[in-house]
């Protein structure tokens, strides 16, 4: 039995013990919770993973409320095994109850330091205003509200996307907000890749290779939270007279304003810079500037604008034809990032490769027609 099975089983036993203590049958608990009796049975036997919404329904039906301290402790016990975040905040946004996930993964604080921390400080700064607005709306309306926001891990800068459900409750007569959160990072990323895929295959032939590349760079940069995206063709190879060096929209604007595009053009496009990728033909992640300087041959005293990078080789006829990469993520790149960027780069490169093949056929036919016309003249 793995840890998730164990958690499900223990939670089921606690539901059963609380139900029996109240003298409820499974049918009565199911009726009060608005759930099917069969579902209650599977939860109690540890055969069913309980969702956030159903956990709240069962808790309410079992009278596990926050009207007094014992109730608070019971509810905390009920949720401490929940595989997501659980917290209760007072009207000032201060945390007064939490589960181990909230303590260990999000806040990364010892138990004795958790009480009274600012719950809003665990939210990504860019999403904090939105979450505070939702928090106020829950307190004023009493309605349950669910929204999506980035939540910091270990105090940041790393974060994950979470779906957070909040509802107003009372603790010792004071209005508070109970918040439950589940990780939706993978869902958000896959949804972004799907949107990029739909966009890519909806483009007509009038869209240039340069635009195809830049759109792919923009997508990879956004999904990985990078600030730079770049593609460099090897050995001055170009496609359809496109430039040998292409930047994401964000990177192009940044470099243009800094006035260093031309000074970096020759260096970054040199095959020697990408020799490790060209020789191994494998994607790489560098999460420290020292490794980047070493692999790129950048002198220690020279300025470097890359702190982290993720590089994907794009191949043509079995050889590396171009380098596709993102850089300067606020925290470390992961294997998940590599999978996402590889997927985007592969989708784009398949379309570009088809363009290359079609153009080659057109050039051959044009040459044959020209030779044929010469023969008739």
């Amino acid at each position: 039995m793995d840890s998730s099975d164990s958690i499900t089983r223990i939670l089921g036993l606690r539901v059963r013990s609380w139900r029996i203590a109240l003298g409820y049958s499974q049918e009565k608990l199911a009726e009060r919770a608005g759930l099917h009796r069969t579902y209650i049975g599977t939860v109690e036997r540890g055969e069913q993973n309980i969702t956030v919404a159903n956990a709240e329904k069962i808790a309410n039906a079992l009278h596990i409320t926050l009207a007094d301290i014992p109730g608070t402790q019971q509810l905390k016990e009920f949720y401490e095994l929940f595989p997501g975040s659980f917290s209760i905040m007072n009207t000032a946004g201060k945390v007064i109850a939490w589960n181990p996930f909230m303590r260990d993964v999000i806040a990364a604080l010892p138990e004795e330091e958790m009480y009274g921390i600012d719950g809003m400080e665990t939210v990504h700064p860019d999403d904090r205003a939105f979450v505070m607005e939702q928090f106020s709306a829950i307190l004023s309306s009493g309605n349950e509200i669910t929204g999506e926001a980035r939540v910091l891990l270990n105090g940041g800068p790393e974060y994950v996307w979470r779906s957070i459900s909040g509802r107003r409750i009372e603790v010792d007569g004071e209005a508070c907000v109970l918040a439950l959160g589940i990780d939706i990072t993978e869902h958000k990323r896959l949804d972004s890749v799907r949107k990029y895929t739909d966009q890519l295959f909806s483009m007509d032939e009038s869209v240039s290779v340069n635009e195809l590349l830049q759109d792919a760079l923009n997508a990879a940069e956004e999904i990985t939270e990078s600030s730079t995206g770049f593609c460099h063709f090897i050995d001055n190879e170009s496609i359809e007279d496109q430039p040998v060096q292409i930047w994401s929209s964000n990177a192009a604007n940044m470099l243009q304003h800094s006035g260093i595009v031309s000074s970096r053009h020759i260096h970054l496009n040199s095959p020697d810079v990408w020799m490790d990728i060209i020789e191994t033909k494998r994607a790489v992640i560098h999460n420290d500037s020292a490794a980047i300087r070493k692999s790129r041959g950048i002198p220690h005293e020279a300025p470097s604008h890359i702190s982290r990078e993720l590089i994907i080789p794009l191949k043509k006829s079995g050889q590396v034809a171009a380098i596709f990469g993102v850089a300067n993520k606020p925290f470390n790149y992961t294997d998940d990032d590599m999978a996402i960027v590889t997927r985007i780069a592969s989708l784009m490169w398949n379309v570009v490769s088809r363009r290359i093949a079609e153009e080659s056929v057109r050039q051959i036919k044009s040459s044959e027609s020209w030779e044929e016309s010469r023969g008739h003249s």
Side-chain angles (χ1 to χ4, degrees), residues 96-349:
I96 62 172
W98 55 90
N99 70 343
F101 187 96
M102 181 72 181
R103 177 194 66 214
D104 301 335
V105 180
I106 295 179
L109 292 172
E111 181 76 13
E112 60 271 17
E113 295 181 19
M114 281 295 297
Y115 189 88
I117 67 169
D118 188 344
M120 298 302 162
E121 291 294 323
T122 65
V123 179
H124 191 284
D126 292 346
D127 294 340
R128 207 163 286 164
F130 166 74
V131 172
M132 292 177 67
E133 180 182 336
Q134 300 294 89
F135 183 84
S136 298
I138 292 169
L139 288 172
S140 61
S141 69
N143 296 328
E144 180 172 336
I145 296 177
T146 298
E148 298 176 356
R150 288 165 289 184
V151 176
L152 301 176
L153 298 179
N154 301 318
E158 187 175 358
Y159 63 83
V160 292
W161 278 97
R162 302 189 74 79
S163 175
I164 305 172
S165 296
R167 62 186 293 263
R168 189 177 67 188
I169 57 174
E170 285 194 2
V171 180
D172 294 333
E174 179 186 2
C176 294
V177 172
L178 183 153
L180 297 170
I182 56 175
D183 194 330
I184 58 169
T185 304
E186 183 178 3
H187 169 76
K188 294 280 288 186
R189 287 184 151 204
L190 292 177
D191 187 53
S192 295
V193 173
R194 281 192 293 268
K195 289 179 180 177
Y196 168 72
T197 304
D198 292 342
Q199 175 186 329
L200 176 65
F201 289 108
S202 67
M203 293 179 179
D204 57 37
E205 295 298 318
S206 65
V207 178
S208 69
V209 169
N210 187 25
E211 291 173 303
L212 288 172
L213 284 163
Q214 191 168 70
D215 284 344
L217 290 169
N218 290 342
E221 180 185 276
E222 180 180 359
I223 294 173
T224 60
E225 298 292 334
S226 304
S227 63
T228 301
F230 51 90
C231 184
H232 302 286
F233 290 98
I234 304 301
D235 292 331
N236 291 325
E237 177 177 353
S238 61
I239 300 173
E240 295 183 2
D241 297 323
Q242 298 300 323
V244 296
Q245 178 173 281
I246 297 172
W247 300 92
S248 64
S249 300
N250 181 59
N253 290 334
M254 178 186 69
L255 294 173
Q256 182 178 8
H257 288 133
S258 62
I260 62 174
V261 176
S262 59
S263 64
R264 291 174 60 82
H265 177 95
I266 297 175
H267 175 71
L268 287 178
N269 200 55
S270 169
D272 294 339
V273 175
W274 309 110
M275 192 55 65
D276 55 336
I277 313 297
I278 295 172
E279 290 181 347
T280 64
K281 302 177 184 178
R282 294 179 180 176
V284 298
I285 289 174
H286 291 137
N287 279 321
D288 63 278
S289 57
I292 296 171
R293 287 178 177 275
K294 181 178 179 181
S295 64
R296 303 289 163 256
I298 303 173
H300 179 73
E301 65 278 4
S304 175
H305 301 278
I306 304 295
S307 58
R308 298 178 180 88
E309 65 178 13
L310 191 164
I311 309 295
I312 307 292
L314 302 178
K315 302 174 187 176
K316 178 183 175 184
S317 302
Q319 300 301 314
V320 177
I323 302 297
F324 184 99
V326 291
N328 296 342
K329 182 179 178 179
F331 43 94
N332 286 346
Y333 288 105
T334 65
D335 290 341
D336 288 339
D337 292 321
M338 182 176 287
I340 289 287
V341 176
T342 299
R343 176 63 175 163
I344 291 173
S346 298
L347 287 168
M348 175 276 299
W349 196 240

